[in-house]
């Protein structure tokens, strides 16, 4: 039976035959423009892949737990830690949140150590938490050496097996500097010394604890492309490896205690490929240090939800975003995953949003069984090619950074920041032009949604304090559109938009829907209509409505008739007479008759709506 091929009775179809059928279906259209995806990452993705596309990928011969570790370090299951990051500085409150999380199934916590100054503080923060069952990750400490000393002393007082205590510290001077604009705490040399001190403390007391965290999420949340996030994370990690090993720390000791903390966005397959490529390239880097133990390669990959793509409006869509993001991380073999509550962009998470965030991971484990199969993406023609393409592009950027003196010199010179800013600008333009859709924000707004109550206050922990280097921003793509909508909703006046629909049923409905979505982005009142028998009838109804804007909705063929019949009545009664569509051949004539604007798929929606707000509010 093992020699029988499934579907052997069907003849094999060659790539040439596939291409011939595609060319026929395209009917002369450009293959590349229609079917090839030109990614932000700088490489093209074909419409389909076949087994022959894997022929040159050498790493495919490795099994899970084998170099080059594309398939992960796990051999039996795909289990990961359900992590909850408690962004709460008050010690008692943080402890209460953590205890509630444990009851919901959380197995790892990110805890703010900012106010943990004494042994009593540490005891209060970790009260009733079983450190052999739950992993502790310290974030935002003002003195990581002191934090680790207090933690180790506390562990010893419990009388537990210290080798079973796991977790990490978020000690990352590089990305901290990118947030704050300066290398804090007395400069980098002192920070390296602190890292070495912590390494020694951990090795002697809690050997399973991770010390070096590279927060690649800081690049993601500044608008970096996936390939940039990957390359800069690897570059920063290599810089840590070089500086620590050159100061006497063994390569395997650094690698074993390394954490990559990525942010995962909505680009589902690309995010899967990113984590797989990270392991591949990290193996390639670590090999150059000739480690004495294979543990050097086994870094811990943590992921958190991207903040960059979250929205204030239609916030429940954020649940869908975090679900696919978590699936990407799980399928790619992440070791721990943090899911942001869906309302994190505008308020502190409440019991409901926190519970949902935890339950998303539990459902993916308990109902979807994503924790049962190691590397479920293995062998996928598409994902394997994405993994290879990302690895190649990231390696090019990595080598370029190394040629410029390494990661620290690159951020001092602003090379990394400028490259990310350029990418972020492209992404912002695509959102403004609605080439990139943010559901509920720049496309398909919920017109019945009530104005959200913004409760979130900025945290001082990441406030820019210096100008030694360029700081990276932490933005959201949706913010410009959200600000426009809030401007409209906070105004005493709500502009009205009258949709003058006429002619061909399919076209007038399509264009009225487009116009509703367009002006709905800023919460204008939309006055839609079933259609008018004559242009004059529609014009009179528009005047009677007392609207601020009238939009003509018809087919291109019928627009000359509609404009000629309606404009004599509309002109003088409306400052904004808009045509929905792009009737290039008739624009000069329409403008002469009084049309003031056109809205279509090529319109820069952000710029256009900014002008409408400025004029109408």
């Amino acid at each position: 039976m093992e020699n029988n091929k499934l579907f052997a009775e069907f003849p094999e179809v060659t790539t040439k035959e596939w291409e011939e059928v595609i060319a026929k279906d395209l009917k002369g259209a450009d293959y590349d423009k229609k079917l090839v995806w030109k990614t932000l990452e700088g490489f093209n993705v074909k419409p389909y892949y076949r087994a022959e596309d894997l022929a040159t990928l050498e790493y495919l011969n490795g099994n899970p737990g084998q170099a080059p570790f594309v398939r992960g370090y796990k051999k039996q299951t795909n289990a990961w830690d359900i992590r909850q990051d408690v962004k709460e500085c008050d010690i008692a409150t943080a402890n209460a949140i953590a205890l509630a999380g444990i009851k919901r199934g959380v197995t790892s916590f990110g805890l703010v150590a900012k106010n943990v100054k004494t042994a009593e503080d540490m005891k209060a923060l970790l009260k009733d938490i079983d450190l052999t069952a739950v992993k502790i990750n310290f974030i935002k400490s003002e003195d990581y050496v002191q934090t680790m000393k207090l933690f180790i002393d506390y562990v010893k007082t419990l009388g537990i097996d210290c080798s079973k205590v796991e977790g990490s510290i978020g000690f990352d001077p590089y990305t901290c500097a990118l947030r704050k604009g300066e290398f804090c705490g007395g400069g980098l040399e002192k920070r390296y010394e602190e890292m070495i001190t912590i390494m020694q403390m951990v090795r002697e007391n809690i050997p399973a604890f991770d010390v070096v965290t590279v927060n690649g999420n800081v690049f993601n949340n500044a608008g970096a492309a996936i390939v940039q996030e990957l390359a800069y994370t690897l570059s920063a990690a290599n810089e840590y490896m070089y500086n620590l090993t050159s100061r006497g720390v063994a390569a395997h000791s650094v690698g074993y205690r390394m954490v990559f903390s990525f942010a995962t966005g909505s680009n589902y397959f690309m995010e899967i490929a990113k984590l797989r490529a990270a392991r591949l390239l990290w193996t390639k880097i670590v090999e150059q240090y000739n480690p004495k133990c294979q543990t050097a390669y086994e870094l811990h990959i943590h992921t958190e939800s991207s903040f960059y793509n979250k929205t204030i409006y239609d916030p429940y869509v954020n649940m869908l975003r975090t679900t696919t993001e978590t699936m990407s991380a799980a399928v790619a073999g992440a070791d721990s995953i943090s899911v942001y509550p869906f309302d994190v962009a505008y308020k502190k998470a409440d019991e409901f949003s926190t519970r949902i965030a935890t339950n998303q991971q539990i459902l993916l484990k308990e109902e979807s069984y994503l924790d049962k199969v190691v590397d479920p993406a293995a062998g996928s023609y598409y994902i394997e090619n994405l993994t290879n393409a990302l690895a190649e592009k990231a390696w090019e950027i990595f080598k370029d950074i190394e040629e410029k003196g390494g990661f620290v010199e690159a951020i001092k010179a602003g090379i990394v920041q400028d490259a990310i800013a350029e990418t972020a600008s492209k992404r912002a333009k695509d959102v403004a032009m609605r080439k990139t859709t943010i559901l509920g924000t720049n496309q398909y707004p919920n017109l019945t949604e009530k104005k959200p109550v913004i409760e979130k206050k900025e945290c001082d922990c990441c406030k820019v304090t210096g100008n030694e280097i360029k700081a990276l921003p932490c933005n959201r793509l949706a913010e410009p559109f959200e600000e426009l909508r809030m401007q409209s909703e906070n105004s005493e006046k709500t502009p009205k938009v009258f949709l003058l629909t006429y002619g061909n049923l399919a076209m007038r409905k399509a264009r009225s829907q487009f116009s509703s979505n367009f002006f709905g982005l800023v919460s204008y009142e939309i006055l839609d209509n079933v259609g008018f028998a004559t242009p004059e009838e529609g014009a009179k109804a528009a005047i009677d409505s007392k609207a601020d804007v009238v939009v003509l909705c018809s087919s291109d063929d019928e627009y000359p008739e509609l404009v000629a019949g309606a404009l004599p009545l509309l002109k003088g009664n409306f400052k904004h007479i808009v045509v929905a569509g792009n009737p290039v051949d008739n624009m000069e004539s329409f403008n002469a008759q009084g049309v003031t604007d056109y809205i279509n798929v090529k319109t820069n929606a952000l710029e256009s709506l900014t002008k409408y707000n400025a004029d109408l509010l």
Side-chain angles (χ1 to χ4, degrees), residues 79-85 101-102 104-110 133-135 137 302-303 326 334-339 354-355 357-366 371:
W80 70 86
D81 292 318
I82 297 175
R83 176 168 157 176
Q84 180 180 346
D85 289 334
I102 291 172
R104 287 194 301 267
V106 176
T107 59
S108 180
F109 288 99
V134 176
K135 297 176 183 178
N137 307 275
H302 172 69
T303 70
T326 306
D335 299 291
S336 60
I337 302 174
S338 294
V339 177
T354 301
R355 177 167 54 84
T358 303
N359 285 353
Q360 284 176 289
Q361 295 198 58
I362 292 173
L363 288 170
L364 292 177
K365 282 189 173 187
E366 302 299 330
D371 62 336

Side-chain angles (χ1 to χ4, degrees), residues 448-462:
T448 63
E449 184 176 8
K450 294 181 180 179
K451 182 176 70 173
V453 178
I454 311 299
E455 300 175 5
K456 190 173 179 62
K457 294 182 179 179
E458 293 297 324
C459 174
D460 291 334
C461 296
C462 297

Side-chain angles (χ1 to χ4, degrees), residues 594-613:
V595 172
T596 61
D597 197 7
Y598 302 85
I599 56 171
N600 50 66
V601 293
K602 295 183 178 180
T603 300
N604 185 315
L606 187 64
E607 287 184 2
S608 180
L609 292 171
T610 298
K611 292 176 181 178
Y612 280 111
N613 267 13

Side-chain angles (χ1 to χ4, degrees), residues 12-19 46 48-55 381-382 385:
E12 186 174 334
V13 180
T14 66
T15 299
K16 181 181 178 181
E17 290 173 311
W18 274 110
E19 292 294 318
K46 299 193 299 183
Y48 70 97
Y49 290 89
R50 292 166 59 84
E52 62 203 53
D53 294 301
L54 305 184
Y381 305 152
Y382 179 45
N385 275 276

Side-chain angles (χ1 to χ4, degrees), residues 417-454:
Q417 299 92 316
D418 290 346
I420 291 175
E422 183 179 351
T423 300
S425 178
K426 291 178 182 177
R427 297 181 72 177
K429 184 177 180 181
D430 283 347
V431 169
M433 297 294 295
R434 303 201 291 179
K435 291 181 180 178
T436 296
T437 295
I438 304 178
L439 189 64
T441 301
N442 77 336
Q443 287 277 31
Y444 314 115
N446 181 351
L447 301 181
T448 63
E449 184 176 8
K450 294 181 180 179
K451 182 176 70 173
V453 178
I454 311 299

